[in-house]
């Protein structure tokens, strides 16, 4: 069974930083393209960033480019998202997902809540 468990969210002031983690199990993590997606209150899922299976290529949505960094540790089956210069509009539940920008598997986990507020 595929399991993706996100952690690391919390309350942060505008301009602050958080690092999210996603522990993966039940599938060949190191062979899969992975993404982070988010869902703000009252809105649909929004793709944030993706990384190739080996970590050599990373892409970002324009609204996080230069502020967020995606990475992975295949030895630990873990995906990360370093988020800097957080803005109130980044407030959402963040999920990791198998797949890329246009074909990710809709996440079924609880995600991790990121709240940006002063």
């Amino acid at each position: 069974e595929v399991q993706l468990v996100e952690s690391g969210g919390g309350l942060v002031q505008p301009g602050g930083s958080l690092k999210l983690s996603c522990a993966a199990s039940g599938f060949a993590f190191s062979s899969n393209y992975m993404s982070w997606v988010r869902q703000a209150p009252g809105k649909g899922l929004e793709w944030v960033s993706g990384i190739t299976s080996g970590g050599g290529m990373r892409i970002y949505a324009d609204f996080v480019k230069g502020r967020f960094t995606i990475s992975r540790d295949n030895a630990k089956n873990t995906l990360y998202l370093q988020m800097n210069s957080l803005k109130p509009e980044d407030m959402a539940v963040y999920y990791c997902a198998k797949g890329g920008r246009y074909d990710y598997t809709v996440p079924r986990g609880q995600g991790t809540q990121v709240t940006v507020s002063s």
Side-chain angles (χ1 to χ4, degrees):
E1 179 187 1
V2 173
Q3 283 201 323
L4 297 168
V5 180
E6 302 89 352
S7 62
L11 172 63
V12 64
Q13 292 185 343
S17 298
L18 284 173
K19 185 172 184 176
L20 308 183
S21 298
C22 169
S25 62
F27 68 103
F29 176 78
S30 62
S31 299
N32 277 265
Y33 193 106
M34 297 295 295
S35 290
W36 283 99
V37 301
R38 70 187 186 184
Q39 188 167 26
K43 297 188 176 181
L45 286 170
E46 182 175 52
W47 180 86
V48 174
S49 179
I51 186 169
T52 52
S53 58
M57 186 174 293
R58 315 171 191 195
I59 57 173
Y60 301 91
D62 285 346
F63 52 80
V64 303
K65 204 171 291 184
R67 299 188 298 124
F68 291 10
T69 302
I70 190 171
S71 62
R72 66 192 297 161
D73 185 337
N74 285 342
K76 296 182 178 179
N77 284 359
T78 303
L79 182 72
Y80 302 100
L81 186 68
Q82 175 67 47
M83 305 187 297
N84 298 329
S85 302
L86 282 160
K87 304 176 180 181
E89 51 263 44
D90 293 319
M91 188 160 58
V93 178
Y94 283 72
Y95 303 89
C96 60
K98 291 177 61 183
R101 183 172 195 163
Y102 302 108
D103 65 354
Y104 62 82
T105 301
V106 174
R108 297 186 175 186
Q110 292 190 335
T112 187
Q113 174 73 49
V114 172
T115 302
V116 185
S117 175
S118 54

